[in-house]
Each structure stands twice: as C-alpha cells, then as structure tokens.
Amino acid sequence: MENRIRDILSKVGRLPVPVGGIGIDDDLYDAGLSSLASVNVMLAIEQAFDIEFPDQLLTRRSFQTIRSLTGVVDALKSSAVSS
C-alpha cells in the first residue's frame, strides 16, 4: 500500500522533491504538499483503493505523512469490509 500511495503522490502530489526521498513519517506539507494538491491526492487515493474519505478525515493530519495516509486507507478499507 505504501508504494501505491507513493506512486499517487509522485503523480498528483506536485511535490518539488522526489517522493522516493521522503520518509514514511516525514511531513508532506514540509516537503511541499499544498492544500490543492492534497485534494488531488485524496481523489486519486479514493479511486485507487475504491474508498471514500468521510468529512471527519479531511484534515491536515490525515495527509500529514505517508504513514498517516496508509493508516487512513487501512481504516477505511477495514470499515468497508466490516459493514
């Protein structure tokens, strides 16, 4: 999953640095992720993982790091399976 999220970040995240050089806990906003780009990342993640971000997860914290993004996707996929 981390690699898919990295691929999405490299395609639509508009980061000024290579995604491969970003650590899993590095702050994506410090790496150059903008609010607009985070919306594009969200849309691409929703499509890639067939999930939908609920309003309460549309926060800076959700998009802060690659680890936080993978956690959100894991949680949403788990809740989809259990419902």
Side-chain angles (χ1 to χ4, degrees):
M1 177 181 312
E2 179 185 338
N3 287 338
R4 287 179 76 186
I5 289 176
R6 285 183 182 277
D7 186 49
I8 289 167
L9 284 167
S10 70
K11 289 179 180 172
V12 300
R14 299 182 179 181
L15 296 170
V17 296
V19 174
I22 298 174
I24 193 165
D25 292 316
D26 289 348
D27 190 309
L28 293 172
Y29 293 100
D30 287 347
L33 184 67
S34 68
S35 297
L36 178 60
S38 68
V39 172
N40 293 331
V41 169
M42 176 198 69
L43 294 172
I45 287 175
E46 286 182 334
Q47 184 173 9
F49 293 100
D50 194 27
I51 57 174
E52 185 172 333
F53 277 68
D55 290 345
Q56 68 269 19
L57 290 178
L58 297 177
T59 66
R60 185 177 177 95
R61 177 176 266 186
S62 295
F63 296 87
Q64 194 86 36
T65 66
I66 293 171
R67 186 182 306 277
S68 64
L69 280 170
T70 57
V72 167
V73 172
D74 273 342
L76 291 174
K77 289 182 72 69
S78 294
S79 67
V81 170
S82 64
S83 59

